[in-house]
Amino acid sequence: MAFIHLDIRCLYTLLICTAFGSTLSSNAEIKVNPPQDFEIVDPGYLGYLYLQWQPPVSLDNFNKCTVEYELKYRNVDSESWRTIITKNLLYKDGFDLNKGVEAKIHTLLPRQCTNGSEVQSSWSEATYWISSQGNLDTKIQDMDCVYYNWQYLLCSWKPGMGAHLDSNYSLYYWYEGLDHALECIDYIQAKGKNIGCSFPYLESSDYKDFYICVNGSSESQLIRPSYFIFQLQNIVKPLPPDYLSLTMKNSGVNLKWSIPRGPIPAKCLIYEIEFTEDDTAWVTTTIENEIYVTRTSNESLQLCFLVRSKMNIYCADDGIWSEWSDELCWKGDIWKEILLFFLVPFVLASLFVLVVTCLLLYKQRNLLKMGHVPATLLTQCLDSTNGKLKIEDGPTIPVGQQVHKESTGKEMAFCHSPPLFLLPAGNVAMSL
């Protein structure tokens, strides 16, 4: 009886071991190798690298399965990896070549090929470094690139602190669509040294990585190259808005301006308005090309506005603010100022003319009462009659003769042309 119980236990043990062993053997049989010949290749595009590999060996058992690859890569010292799942044997991306590049890849077998469990191979790794020739302080400083009004690109830099006087720099650029990297053809120079580059028209360059390398040459030292990656739409600097206009409405002001000239679509712009009311100021933004501002007081003496523009988040991840527009101001007492400016001088001038006229009329009246013509007035009359004095209803008397006329009912008139003086009737005697 004891032997029967022993046989049953052995049978159970044998069955369990057989089942467990078959499971282990089935899992142990499903293995896959990592990709072969994994490498990082530099085609000479200033940071745009190829990550390429070959399929793993021994895939005969998985001919009906679609093999995938999990690729991870980053610049050395970066905090995070970028991860890509792909079925291809090549992947391309841009890297900062001022630092090294590291990547790793392994093979993935999908669950439908492994009875419901995903199988992964071990990792295959690769690295890439640019030769670090030259001291670090020979690299250029303060690289600055601005894409003015989405039309022309301008980059500038300063020489490295440790660069010798005979050092000079050259700029090369590339973006997807060019067959190879190109050198700048229009350098900006200072004292015979290249300090910047004005680029030609860049066809189909927007929304692509734009790669730049600035290296140098010197007879006495090696120059460390510098690498940069831009997206041109993120460094666009528009023109400032113009043709600002103000319209007063009730207790507020409606400000309107024209969209900056150039190829930037209106939908790609955002505006910043600086509003100053008397001694207070604040800033606001809008996507429209007009804004209504409510005054804090109806007795405001002065309102001033400045406007500038920038690429918005619908067309760029970032952008550069334009310069401020010309200032436009409204003054509450402008008509009073105009009246004071023009009316006061006018009133003073009018009073002066009136006083002078009154004085002249008063003096003329006294002269008429006295019956005496001053010599100066007579001289003026003689000049106007070519030296002859004409007496009304009488002959022309040459200058230099005694003039004496008695009249009982007539008046003597000198100079029919202005000035005209009428003397009262009576005995008049003049010595010329």
Side-chain angles (χ1 to χ4, degrees):
M1 190 70 178
F3 288 104
I4 295 174
H5 286 290
L6 181 60
D7 293 338
I8 292 174
R9 291 175 184 175
C10 291
L11 180 60
Y12 281 134
T13 302
L14 181 61
L15 290 173
I16 292 171
C17 291
T18 303
F20 184 71
S22 63
T23 302
L24 288 176
S25 62
S26 63
N27 286 341
E29 291 175 358
I30 303 176
K31 291 184 178 180
V32 66
N33 294 314
Q36 301 181 86
D37 303 327
F38 180 49
E39 60 180 342
I40 302 174
V41 179
D42 186 355
Y45 296 152
L46 313 180
Y48 189 69
L49 303 180
Y50 294 172
L51 289 77
Q52 59 188 32
W53 58 93
Q54 295 299 321
V57 297
S58 304
L59 284 179
D60 297 337
N61 297 329
F62 306 101
N63 291 332
K64 296 181 180 180
C65 295
T66 302
V67 178
E68 295 179 336
Y69 305 97
E70 182 179 16
L71 173 66
K72 292 179 177 289
Y73 60 91
R74 66 179 179 180
N75 272 112
V76 173
D77 299 333
S78 178
E79 295 181 357
S80 59
W81 294 83
R82 292 194 63 182
T83 302
I84 300 294
I85 305 295
T86 179
K87 300 173 183 178
N88 300 321
L89 301 176
L90 174 67
Y91 190 77
K92 305 175 184 179
D93 204 352
F95 296 88
D96 180 5
L97 293 188
N98 296 299
K99 304 176 181 179
V101 179
E102 56 183 349
K104 57 184 180 180
I105 191 171
H106 64 186
T107 310
L108 298 178
L109 289 180
R111 295 179 179 179
Q112 59 268 25
C113 299
T114 60
N115 299 324
S117 61
E118 187 178 73
V119 176
Q120 302 176 355
S121 73
S122 59
W123 290 100
S124 180
E125 299 180 353
T127 58
Y128 180 79
W129 293 82
I130 288 288
S131 176
S132 56
Q133 64 176 16
N135 294 328
L136 190 62
D137 60 359
T138 61
K139 295 175 61 172
I140 63 168
Q141 309 174 80
D142 302 333
M143 181 66 162
D144 183 41
C145 291
V146 179
Y147 200 16
Y148 288 97
N149 206 32
W150 216 336
Q151 291 178 301
Y152 63 95
L153 176 64
L154 185 67
C155 290
S156 60
W157 60 82
K158 294 179 181 178
M161 293 291 293
H164 294 172
L165 294 178
D166 68 336
S167 301
N168 203 3
Y169 295 91
S170 302
L171 181 144
Y172 297 85
Y173 66 95
W174 180 87
Y175 60 89
E176 192 172 0
L178 298 180
D179 295 333
H180 57 274
L182 301 177
E183 184 180 0
C184 175
I185 59 174
D186 187 9
Y187 283 108
I188 301 169
Q189 294 188 329
K191 298 180 180 179
K193 305 296 183 181
N194 298 334
I195 60 167
C197 176
S198 179
F199 292 80
Y201 173 69
L202 302 169
E203 184 177 0
S204 304
S205 59
D206 302 325
Y207 300 99
K208 296 178 180 178
D209 286 336
F210 191 88
Y211 298 87
I212 291 178
C213 173
V214 181
N215 59 20
S217 60
S218 170
E219 294 182 357
S220 56
Q221 65 180 159
L222 295 174
I223 305 295
R224 178 76 64 90
S226 299
Y227 296 88
F228 306 90
I229 304 176
F230 298 100
Q231 283 214 335
L232 297 186
Q233 74 276 3
N234 293 335
I235 55 174
V236 170
K237 182 177 182 178
L239 292 174
D242 52 11
Y243 302 111
L244 276 67
S245 63
L246 285 177
T247 305
M248 303 302 298
K249 292 185 177 180
N250 301 326
S251 62
V253 181
N254 192 73
L255 174 67
K256 191 172 183 180
W257 57 89
S258 296
I259 297 171
R261 301 180 303 275
I264 304 176
K267 65 179 181 180
C268 290
L269 291 171
I270 189 172
Y271 304 95
E272 186 172 72
I273 299 94
E274 184 178 278
F275 168 52
T276 303
E277 182 177 11
D278 296 337
D279 296 330
T280 62
W282 51 269
V283 175
T284 186
T285 56
T286 178
I287 60 173
E288 303 294 335
N289 64 324
E290 66 177 312
I291 190 173
Y292 181 79
V293 177
T294 302
R295 292 183 288 170
T296 58
S297 172
N298 290 331
E299 298 179 357
S300 301
L301 298 179
Q302 180 170 283
L303 306 174
C304 291
F305 296 88
L306 292 169
V307 185
R308 61 180 181 175
S309 57
K310 178 184 176 181
M311 294 280 285
N312 60 35
I313 59 174
Y314 302 106
C315 298
D317 297 329
D318 199 1
I320 301 173
W321 283 110
S322 72
E323 302 297 329
W324 287 104
S325 66
D326 294 333
E327 187 178 56
L328 179 64
C329 292
W330 174 86
K331 295 183 179 180
D333 291 331
I334 186 170
W335 291 111
K336 293 181 181 179
E337 293 182 7
I338 292 175
L339 288 175
L340 290 174
F341 184 79
F342 290 102
L343 186 59
V344 171
F346 177 77
V347 170
L348 293 176
S350 300
L351 288 174
F352 176 77
V353 171
L354 181 61
V355 170
V356 172
T357 303
C358 291
L359 290 175
L360 290 175
L361 290 175
Y362 178 77
K363 187 174 182 181
Q364 182 179 356
R365 182 179 178 183
N366 289 339
L367 288 174
L368 291 175
K369 286 182 179 180
M370 294 172 59
H372 175 70
V373 180
T376 55
L377 297 179
L378 183 60
T379 302
Q380 292 177 3
C381 291
L382 291 174
D383 290 341
S384 65
T385 57
N386 295 323
K388 295 182 179 180
L389 187 64
K390 182 178 181 181
I391 302 176
E392 186 174 340
D393 295 334
T396 300
I397 302 174
V399 177
Q401 298 182 6
Q402 291 286 338
V403 178
H404 181 81
K405 179 178 179 181
E406 295 183 356
S407 175
T408 57
K410 297 183 180 180
E411 294 178 337
M412 181 180 292
F414 292 113
C415 303
H416 288 279
S417 59
L420 179 65
F421 295 90
L422 298 177
L423 302 181
N427 293 332
V428 179
M430 291 186 181
S431 253
L432 298 179

